[in-house]
């Protein structure tokens, strides 16, 4: 059974950093492309970042470009999202997604597996 589990969220002040982690099990991790999405209350789930197999290609939403970094550690079956210079508008539940494919996408529907999410709240 494929399972993804996010962790690392919390309540932080603007301008600080968080590192989210997503642990995967039940899959051959290095054969999956990975992504982070987020969903704020009353809004649709939106793309944040993705990463291809082997980590050579990454993509970011304009809203997080230059502040967030996605990375993967296939030896640990984990994908990370380093979030710097956090803003209140980054407040959301963050989800990791995975798909056993070579192609990455910014569309939620592309990904087959999802975690339960981790809450990130950025507030003074």
């Amino acid at each position: 059974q494929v399972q993804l589990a996010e962790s690392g969220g919390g309540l932080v002040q603007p301008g600080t950093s968080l590192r989210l982690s997503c642990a995967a099990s039940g899959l051959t991790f290095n054969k999956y492309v990975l992504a982070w999405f987020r969903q704020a209350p009353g809004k649709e789930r939106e793309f944040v970042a993705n990463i291809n197999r082997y980590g050579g290609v990454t993509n970011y939403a304009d809203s997080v470009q230059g502040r967030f970094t996605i990375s993967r550690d296939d030896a640990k079956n984990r994908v990370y999202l380093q979030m710097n210079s956090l803003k209140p508008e980054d407040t959301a539940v963050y989800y990791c997604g995975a798909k056993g494919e070579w192609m990455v996408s910014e569309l939620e529907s592309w990904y087959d597996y999802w975690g339960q999410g981790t809450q990130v709240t950025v507030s003074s």
Side-chain angles (χ1 to χ4, degrees):
Q1 186 74 35
V2 174
Q3 291 186 310
L4 304 176
E6 302 92 342
S7 62
L11 173 62
V12 297
Q13 293 184 314
T16 62
S17 298
L18 277 176
R19 189 195 195 200
L20 305 184
S21 178
C22 176
S25 62
L27 52 75
T28 304
F29 190 79
N30 63 5
K31 295 184 182 295
Y32 282 73
V33 297
L34 303 160
W36 288 94
F37 285 73
R38 66 187 182 186
Q39 187 167 22
K43 297 181 65 177
E44 298 293 322
R45 190 173 298 188
E46 66 177 356
F47 169 76
V48 176
N50 60 31
I51 187 166
N52 74 338
R53 297 197 204 184
Y54 310 114
V57 177
T58 58
N59 299 283
Y60 299 92
D62 290 344
S63 58
V64 307
Q65 181 73 240
R67 299 188 297 120
F68 290 11
T69 303
I70 187 172
S71 62
R72 64 190 296 163
D73 187 339
D74 290 351
K76 297 181 178 180
N77 283 12
R78 287 184 179 269
V79 58
Y80 304 97
L81 186 68
Q82 178 67 45
M83 305 186 297
N84 298 327
S85 301
L86 283 162
K87 305 175 180 179
E89 50 263 46
D90 295 319
T91 295
V93 177
Y94 283 71
Y95 300 89
C96 63
K99 184 176 179 66
E101 180 58 78
W102 289 98
M103 182 181 294
V104 297
S105 176
E106 298 182 6
L107 300 176
E108 179 184 358
S109 61
W110 181 247
Y111 299 92
D112 295 323
Y113 304 105
W114 296 92
Q116 293 299 306
T118 185
Q119 176 72 49
V120 173
T121 303
V122 185
S123 176
S124 298

